[in-house]
Amino acid sequence: MVSSKLMNVRVTTMDAELEFAIQQTTSGKQLFDQVVKTIGLREVWFFGLQYTDSKGDLTWIKLYKKMNVRVTTMDAELEFAIQQTTSGKQLFDQVVKTIGLREVWFFGLQYTDSKGDLTWIKLYKKVMSQDVKKENPLQFKFRAKFYPEDVAEELIQDITLRLFYLQVKNSILSDEIYCPPETSVLLASYAVQARHGDYNKTLHSAGFLANDRLLPQRVMDQHKMSKEEWEQSIMTWWKEHRGMLREDTMMEYLKIAQDLEMYGVNYFEIRNKKGTELYLGVDALGLNIYEKDDRLTPKIGFPWSEIRNISFNDRKFIIKPIDKKAPDFVFFAPRVRINKRILSLCMGNHELYMRRRKPDTIDVQQMKAQAREEKLAKQQQREKLQLEIAARERAEKKQQEYEDRIKAMQEEMERSQANLQEAQEMIRRLEEQLKQLQAAKEELEKRQNELQQMMERLEESKNLEAAERQKLEDEIMAKQLEVQRIQEEVEAKDSETKRLQEEVEAARRKEEELKAQQMANATKGHLEENNHDEDDELVNGDVSKDLATDENIVDPVEDRRTLAERNERLHDQLLALKKDLAQSRDETKETAMDKIHRENVRQGRDKYKTLREIRKGNTKRRVDQFENM
């Protein structure tokens, strides 16, 4: 509503004084236009309006007063200056241009209105005329407003993939999207791969993930596990994703997350004609009705293909089915503002639903072609990098093997040197022993000669007196004993010499055997190295080949299966995680959502089986069912 309060303004030109009455909302441009119109001036670009500000300085009036705006995306903060006349679309276009986003149809700008509710900005209305909380700068969030039916089929750009990944991950961690514990751990391992790349035991030691927000608090509270045990569990599964590109990892995360029951659903509190409190869920596949205490399991569903008209009147919302025999689907929202949001989401989702079932536009075809080229270039660059890394690892491994071999040879040489010194010492001792043996033999020979001489003297002294003869016999006896002793010593030394000779011979044989073994080991190492190189190439090929895999998911809901149902490996991973976590589970911390999920699993339900079940029967039967809830 325009204010009626007027203000008097005096404008002095070089030859006149003009007076005007203006409103408080009059802009600088409007006053300037009034002046130049009055004086008949058309060359307006030379001129301006000056005024004296509160500090006494002459200042030029601003024709368009600008407002500062801060837009927060999932991974950045952007700041802009907008004019009073800037529309929501102009601001939106400025944001998407800045971040390089082309898949604009999924996204919108959110703001907190004067009542504290999150609201989507209207594109074709001035920003300043919307109920944005007046602060400096004005605060907006850039978020996904609509979700694809199948991320693998629809998301084209890497920036789109990253924004969806970050938003969905944040919703799971904050429990806006319920995620069972085993799926939470598996998704956390993909999040780690997306952020840190391949696991490396030298870089990623214990405590590496301590500061990362990886699991919903609910999941951690429900299990008697320390932070270290959680980290170890996540790292175990992280190792399984080795070789996955960041974009492929984020896509795998979203492919698993999109099968969660609350993924992509906007919930609104409504009542039916009976006044029963219910939830309306709006998503890419249609409209679903939930009971007040269970937002996991919808009870009634209407695909977009069954709806021909949507309208509301005050708090009453009316949906007209394609089947004209069926009554209108009517519910009541708490406020008119809620109905406006429901209408906006329904129209946007319905438009995308119909667009998906038509051929791609030229613009989308070009985007997909460009994305394929970029992905191929990245894949080739990745393969080249992997080959370089593998070559470097092989070179480093060879160098390490050579260093180990040299070290082993040095140690062997040191052992051989020690053995040689020992052998040389034994030879020295042998030579010494031989010298002693030779001396003993010479001494023996000398004593034998002396004995011979004595014997000769004895023979000559037969005629000697008895006393002298007895003395000579005693001397001979003593000499015989000495000769016998020396003989025994010579024999002992001879035995010791033979033993030493045998030891020296054994040492020499051992040294020859060690040298032969060293030669054999050196030959064996080269053979193993060559075999290992060939194995490395095979492993790298497998990894490189396994990276490029995408699932083709059939639409509509009738043919839709969860990824876990279609992928045996994922199914086994989730079962193994569930079994591991069951050992530490604290049943007393179980939430209502956990109990509902457990019961759904027990009954064999999943997201798409439930949707197929609640869409059975004709539209009339489902509308009647809704009215009777």
Side-chain angles (χ1 to χ4, degrees):
M1 185 176 179
V2 178
S3 173
S4 60
K5 188 173 181 181
L6 298 177
M7 295 185 66
N8 293 322
V9 173
R10 178 178 295 150
V11 178
T12 306
T13 69
M14 294 304 300
D15 58 358
E17 279 191 355
L18 309 173
E19 289 197 358
F20 305 96
I22 63 170
Q23 298 171 353
Q24 287 187 339
T25 56
T26 300
S27 68
K29 175 76 165 56
Q30 289 170 325
L31 176 59
F32 180 81
D33 289 345
Q34 207 167 351
V35 172
V36 296
K37 183 179 180 182
T38 302
I39 63 177
L41 180 70
R42 296 182 66 186
E43 296 174 273
V44 296
W45 46 85
F46 291 119
F47 297 91
L49 292 172
Q50 271 187 333
Y51 66 94
T52 303
D53 64 18
S54 57
K55 294 182 180 180
D57 297 327
L58 273 176
T59 306
W60 293 102
I61 199 168
K62 294 180 177 64
L63 298 185
Y64 302 100
K65 187 176 180 182
K66 293 189 175 182
M67 296 289 296
N68 293 321
V69 172
R70 178 177 294 149
V71 178
T72 307
T73 69
M74 290 306 302
D75 59 357
E77 275 193 358
L78 311 173
E79 293 204 354
F80 306 97
I82 64 169
Q83 298 170 358
Q84 294 276 352
T85 55
T86 299
S87 69
K89 186 169 189 313
Q90 288 171 322
L91 176 58
F92 181 83
D93 289 346
Q94 204 168 353
V95 173
V96 298
K97 184 179 179 182
T98 302
I99 64 176
L101 178 73
R102 294 179 67 187
E103 294 172 88
V104 297
W105 46 87
F106 291 119
F107 297 89
L109 287 171
Q110 265 187 341
Y111 64 90
T112 304
D113 63 20
S114 57
K115 295 188 177 180
D117 296 327
L118 275 175
T119 306
W120 294 103
I121 201 169
K122 294 175 179 64
L123 295 182
Y124 297 99
K125 191 175 179 182
K126 291 179 184 178
V127 173
M128 297 310 298
S129 64
Q130 301 189 45
D131 190 20
V132 183
K133 186 178 179 183
K134 300 302 182 284
E135 53 186 333
N136 191 18
L138 299 176
Q139 302 283 345
F140 294 93
K141 291 180 181 179
F142 186 81
R143 295 291 186 269
K145 184 177 182 181
F146 305 105
Y147 286 71
E149 288 180 23
D150 183 353
V151 291
E153 290 292 320
E154 293 182 52
L155 300 186
I156 304 169
Q157 285 185 288
D158 287 345
I159 176 68
T160 316
L161 173 65
R162 188 171 78 250
L163 290 174
F164 265 105
Y165 161 74
L166 292 172
Q167 184 165 332
V168 171
K169 179 164 75 81
N170 186 66
S171 296
I172 288 172
L173 294 178
S174 60
D175 247 353
E176 292 172 26
I177 296 175
Y178 173 82
C179 186
E182 61 274 13
T183 311
S184 296
V185 173
L186 186 59
L187 290 178
S189 69
Y190 279 111
V192 174
Q193 177 73 13
R195 181 174 181 184
H196 300 292
D198 288 345
Y199 171 78
N200 185 328
K201 64 180 180 181
T202 57
L203 298 176
H204 306 138
S205 55
F208 177 75
L209 301 176
N211 296 323
D212 286 16
R213 185 180 172 221
L214 297 172
L215 294 168
Q217 189 61 45
R218 165 184 55 82
V219 172
M220 292 190 286
D221 290 343
Q222 288 172 351
H223 295 82
K224 297 173 182 176
M225 291 172 65
S226 64
K227 285 185 177 180
E228 292 75 17
E229 288 171 325
W230 280 118
E231 181 179 310
Q232 186 57 49
S233 177
I234 292 168
M235 289 180 84
T236 298
W237 292 99
W238 175 19
K239 296 171 188 177
E240 295 283 315
H241 313 319
R242 183 171 183 81
M244 287 188 73
L245 293 169
R246 177 172 279 107
E247 291 76 18
D248 292 338
T249 307
M250 291 190 290
M251 178 60 77
E252 201 65 27
Y253 185 104
L254 287 175
K255 282 162 66 177
I256 296 170
Q258 72 181 354
D259 291 338
L260 299 173
E261 291 86 345
M262 296 177 72
Y263 167 90
V265 181
N266 285 279
Y267 293 92
F268 297 93
E269 293 181 357
I270 61 167
R271 295 174 186 263
N272 61 10
K273 291 177 181 176
K274 288 172 63 177
T276 307
E277 293 184 354
L278 303 164
Y279 276 111
L280 171 73
V282 184
D283 67 9
L285 297 168
L287 299 174
N288 297 316
I289 304 300
Y290 300 80
E291 292 178 340
K292 186 69 174 176
D293 57 354
D294 180 4
R295 290 192 294 165
L296 278 181
T297 320
K299 299 299 182 283
I300 305 168
F302 300 91
W304 291 119
S305 55
E306 288 187 4
I307 298 168
R308 65 181 174 88
N309 181 267
I310 302 171
S311 62
F312 70 88
N313 182 1
D314 195 24
R315 295 186 299 111
K316 181 181 180 181
F317 202 100
I318 304 164
I319 297 174
K320 295 183 181 295
I322 292 286
D323 182 2
K324 294 185 179 180
K325 294 179 182 179
D328 292 344
F329 174 40
V330 179
F331 59 82
F332 299 87
R335 299 192 302 276
V336 177
R337 186 174 294 196
I338 299 298
N339 271 342
K340 290 181 179 179
R341 292 172 192 163
I342 294 173
L343 181 70
S344 173
L345 281 170
C346 287
M347 290 175 65
N349 274 302
H350 187 269
E351 181 184 345
L352 288 174
Y353 183 87
M354 299 308 291
R355 188 193 296 181
R356 290 182 190 108
R357 281 142 188 87
K358 295 176 183 177
D360 290 335
T361 63
I362 296 297
D363 189 38
V364 171
Q365 290 176 25
Q366 290 174 346
M367 286 168 60
K368 286 184 175 179
Q370 183 181 348
R372 282 194 297 270
E373 290 173 5
E374 289 174 355
K375 187 171 184 179
L376 180 61
K378 282 184 180 179
Q379 185 67 30
Q380 291 171 343
Q381 188 177 5
R382 169 79 174 184
E383 288 173 358
K384 183 181 177 183
L385 181 62
Q386 281 184 326
L387 289 173
E388 291 173 355
I389 291 171
R392 188 177 71 245
E393 287 177 349
R394 286 197 297 271
E396 290 173 352
K397 188 171 183 179
K398 284 180 183 177
Q399 184 179 355
Q400 186 63 43
E401 286 175 357
Y402 290 147
E403 288 175 359
D404 292 344
R405 193 177 299 136
I406 289 169
K407 185 178 178 182
M409 290 172 69
Q410 286 175 338
E411 291 173 353
E412 190 59 39
M413 286 174 65
E414 289 173 1
R415 284 196 297 272
S416 299
Q417 187 68 26
N419 291 335
L420 179 61
Q421 289 176 353
E422 186 180 346
Q424 288 174 341
E425 177 63 22
M426 289 174 68
I427 291 169
R428 188 191 63 75
R429 284 164 51 201
L430 178 60
E431 288 173 348
E432 184 67 27
Q433 194 73 22
L434 287 170
K435 286 179 183 178
Q436 291 177 6
L437 179 61
Q438 186 63 31
K441 285 182 177 179
E442 289 174 356
E443 181 69 20
L444 176 62
E445 188 178 353
K446 181 181 176 183
R447 297 302 179 196
Q448 285 175 339
N449 290 335
E450 288 178 354
L451 179 61
Q452 183 65 32
Q453 289 173 4
M454 285 182 178
M455 293 297 290
E456 289 174 357
R457 280 170 57 200
L458 178 63
E459 188 64 30
E460 292 173 356
S461 61
K462 285 181 179 179
N463 300 323
L464 293 178
E465 293 180 0
E468 290 178 354
R469 185 179 180 85
Q470 184 63 43
K471 181 182 176 183
L472 182 59
E473 286 177 356
D474 292 343
E475 288 178 358
I476 288 170
M477 180 64 70
K479 185 62 68 176
Q480 284 175 336
L481 289 172
E482 187 178 356
V483 168
Q484 186 179 354
R485 181 183 61 76
I486 292 171
Q487 181 71 36
E488 289 173 355
E489 286 180 2
V490 168
E491 288 175 358
K493 288 184 183 295
D494 193 36
S495 297
E496 179 66 17
T497 300
K498 286 180 180 178
R499 187 184 64 77
L500 285 172
Q501 283 177 331
E502 289 173 357
E503 287 185 5
V504 169
E505 187 63 29
R508 283 176 181 164
R509 283 198 304 271
K510 185 178 179 182
E511 187 175 2
E512 288 173 359
E513 288 173 1
L514 285 170
K515 286 179 180 177
Q517 189 177 356
Q518 282 180 351
M519 291 297 292
N521 285 341
T523 308
K524 184 180 177 184
H526 283 298
L527 290 173
E528 287 178 350
E529 180 183 308
N530 291 336
N531 288 336
H532 193 71
D533 285 349
E534 291 173 9
D535 290 343
D536 274 352
E537 288 171 11
L538 287 171
V539 170
N540 285 332
D542 286 342
V543 170
S544 195
K545 188 177 178 181
D546 288 341
L547 286 176
T549 57
D550 275 334
E551 295 287 338
N552 296 317
I553 301 176
V554 179
D555 188 45
V557 168
E558 282 72 18
D559 298 324
R560 189 79 177 257
R561 300 291 184 273
T562 64
L563 187 61
E565 193 176 356
R566 290 178 285 108
N567 188 315
E568 187 177 348
R569 181 172 177 268
L570 174 61
H571 180 264
D572 293 344
Q573 286 177 333
L574 291 172
L575 279 180
L577 271 166
K578 190 172 184 178
K579 185 177 179 182
D580 289 344
L581 292 173
Q583 299 172 7
S584 60
R585 189 172 179 83
D586 184 353
E587 299 288 345
T588 63
K589 300 290 180 65
E590 197 174 49
T591 65
M593 286 281 201
D594 292 310
K595 292 175 183 176
I596 293 168
H597 173 75
R598 179 159 47 79
E599 180 60 21
N600 285 345
V601 170
R602 191 186 68 79
Q603 294 187 19
R605 294 196 197 110
D606 62 34
K607 179 176 181 175
Y608 305 112
K609 287 177 183 176
T610 302
L611 287 176
R612 284 193 288 276
E613 184 65 30
I614 65 172
R615 291 180 177 186
K616 285 182 179 178
N618 59 40
T619 309
K620 181 180 184 304
R621 186 189 69 80
R622 279 174 277 140
V623 172
D624 291 342
Q625 184 183 349
F626 168 72
E627 297 296 350
N628 292 321
M629 287 181 77

